Amino acid sequence: MTSIRGAEMVDWNLAVATATRLVRPGPEVTRDEARAVVAELRRHAKASEEHVRGFTRMGTEETHDTPILVVDRPGWVRANVAGFRELLKPLLDKMQERRGNGPGGAVLGAVGGKVTGVELGMLLSFLASRVLGQYETFAPPARGLPAGENGAGRLLLVAPNIVHVERELDVQPHDFRLWVCLHEETHRTQFSSVHWLRDHLEGEIQSFLSETDVDPMTVLERVREAAQTLAGGRPEGEEGDDGRSLVEIVQTPAQREILGRLTAVMSLLEGHADFVMDGVGPEVVPTVAEIREKFQQRRAKGASRLDLALRKLLGLDAKLRQYRDGERFVRAVVDQVGMDGFNRVWTSPNTLPTKAEIAKPADWIARMHGRPEA
């Protein structure tokens, strides 16, 4: 159970209520259509296990101990709030202890917790209509949302978002749903097959959070400085605009170093999933080329100016770069040393590519396999 102190920093129930109230409704479907979509996504998710195992040569015939959940937008919100609550608890308790020692700390905690809950809810309402699927690495059980045993995560497929995008792109629904499932199943295979990966990622995240300035006034000052930087009056892309998100700007030097490692591993995971979904695609998704072309155009085009501004502020553009850069890394390595040679990346944390190696796959190949003879 989350301590009272931790709960005071963020009103989690208010975050869920705010996001659920603000999130846009999904596409119009009949009850029968909704049931059919849910059933098909479950079938595709199950079928994807064999496709991904065969292509990646990862995993075994043993059944995954992670549940597959087809959810709506509020369900995605509840799942992510539960994950945030678990992952951020040490940091929030630490900040609450610092705040509670000052004058009026309890009052500030109660008021600040509600403000933060509303802000988190607004953020989640923005994201809830955009995520197609997600492997939740850190997934404690939540109301109506079971998690895997022994710290295993859960796979979420957000049905209304998948239907919305397949209609927007005007692609074959059966193929698009399977294509999405292949991507998310790859993430499930990564974490279920590479047993040290979850603990390694959690350790890096906790190290990142432990470097956070826990004095609330210091945090506010740094956020204010970041906001002033982002509002400096230069249009995006002009000279002097470093393109960093709010999250990146408020980091300490130690956090930037940790972020470099996190960026590399996330680029690897996302790029690997994109590589697999397209590699398996021609065998089981007849229209994969059309889907990929239209999906890439949608990513590049973006949406409204407000949407683009929020994406930049939240660092979502960096995530899109992770897909692109990571996929290029995986493709280059597999082309040079084959799938088994690439799979050496999963041996230990020391065999993960660095951020520099993601950009220069030949350097990782040289480190893992030796430099080719001239």
Side-chain angles (χ1 to χ4, degrees):
M1 179 180 294
T2 302
S3 68
I4 294 177
R5 283 183 174 180
E8 287 176 350
M9 289 296 299
V10 180
D11 189 328
W12 299 104
N13 291 331
L14 184 57
V16 172
T18 300
T20 302
R21 184 176 72 254
L22 295 179
V23 71
R24 292 182 295 180
E28 291 188 9
V29 294
T30 66
R31 182 168 297 182
D32 288 342
E33 287 173 332
R35 287 173 178 157
V37 170
V38 170
E40 184 171 32
L41 286 173
R42 286 177 176 156
R43 289 196 305 271
H44 284 333
K46 186 64 179 175
S48 294
E49 292 184 38
E50 183 177 351
H51 295 315
V52 171
R53 279 200 304 259
F55 184 79
T56 63
R57 303 177 194 173
M58 297 174 67
T60 66
E61 295 301 319
E62 298 176 4
T63 303
H64 288 296
D65 61 354
T66 52
I68 299 170
L69 306 177
V70 182
V71 298
D72 57 11
R73 290 169 178 175
W76 180 87
V77 168
R78 291 197 304 275
N80 277 268
V81 165
F84 286 150
R85 191 172 190 169
E86 182 77 8
L87 194 61
L88 297 177
K89 182 180 181 299
L91 173 65
L92 295 180
D93 282 347
K94 192 175 178 182
M95 291 183 71
Q96 178 60 32
E97 183 177 354
R98 177 76 66 89
R99 177 189 283 181
N101 290 336
V107 175
L108 285 172
V111 174
K114 291 189 179 300
V115 171
T116 307
V118 170
E119 291 172 342
L120 177 60
M122 294 172 66
L123 169 62
L124 289 171
S125 71
F126 170 76
L127 296 173
S129 61
R130 287 157 174 78
V131 177
L132 301 182
Q134 175 185 2
Y135 180 78
E136 273 200 290
T137 312
F138 313 104
R143 181 169 57 88
L145 297 165
E149 299 178 357
N150 301 319
R154 57 183 165 227
L155 191 152
L156 305 178
L157 297 167
V158 190
N161 296 349
I162 293 172
V163 172
H164 171 77
V165 173
E166 71 190 26
R167 290 179 178 178
E168 179 184 314
L169 298 181
D170 190 24
V171 293
Q172 214 285 334
H174 171 87
D175 287 3
F176 184 75
R177 294 167 192 175
L178 178 54
W179 189 70
V180 172
C181 288
L182 289 169
H183 182 101
E184 302 308 330
E185 175 57 36
T186 302
H187 287 318
R188 194 162 70 123
T189 297
Q190 290 163 348
F191 283 94
S192 63
S193 302
V194 185
H195 300 297
W196 52 265
L197 185 57
R198 181 190 184 278
D199 289 343
H200 171 71
L201 194 60
E202 182 176 21
E204 292 281 58
I205 292 172
Q206 291 301 334
S207 295
F208 182 90
L209 294 176
S210 70
E211 290 290 333
T212 300
D213 293 319
V214 296
D215 174 30
M217 292 307 297
T218 302
V219 173
L220 287 174
E221 182 61 30
R222 300 186 71 188
V223 170
R224 189 175 301 114
E225 291 173 0
Q228 291 170 353
T229 300
L230 287 171
R234 286 189 303 269
E236 182 176 350
E238 278 197 4
E239 185 178 356
D241 179 7
D242 60 11
R244 290 187 296 166
S245 70
L246 178 61
V247 174
E248 291 173 296
I249 290 172
V250 298
Q251 290 160 6
T252 66
Q255 284 178 311
R256 292 193 188 100
E257 184 177 335
I258 298 168
L259 185 77
R261 297 195 298 268
L262 281 170
T263 298
V265 70
M266 296 309 297
S267 296
L268 171 70
L269 298 177
E270 296 294 359
H272 184 234
D274 264 12
F275 177 78
V276 171
M277 72 195 297
D278 288 345
V280 173
E283 296 293 327
V284 298
V285 183
T287 60
V288 64
E290 177 192 358
I291 290 173
R292 167 56 74 186
E293 180 180 2
K294 290 183 175 181
F295 196 75
Q296 293 287 55
Q297 290 174 353
R298 181 179 183 270
R299 275 182 180 172
K301 183 175 63 176
S304 67
R305 290 183 63 85
L306 174 61
D307 188 62
L308 293 173
L310 284 169
R311 276 171 44 181
K312 181 178 180 183
L313 182 68
L314 299 172
L316 300 183
D317 284 339
K319 185 173 178 63
L320 297 181
R321 289 195 297 273
Q322 288 172 6
Y323 286 102
R324 182 186 65 238
D325 297 344
E327 196 273 342
R328 278 202 297 250
F329 171 85
V330 176
R331 185 173 301 281
V333 173
V334 172
D335 285 347
Q336 288 294 314
V337 297
M339 187 64 74
D340 290 335
F342 165 78
N343 281 340
R344 289 188 63 178
V345 78
W346 310 118
T347 305
S348 76
N350 293 329
T351 61
L352 291 171
T354 65
K355 188 177 179 181
E357 287 171 339
I358 288 288
K360 295 183 65 177
D363 288 353
W364 182 87
I365 294 172
R367 180 162 68 90
M368 292 295 103
H369 296 275
R371 296 191 179 276
E373 295 182 5

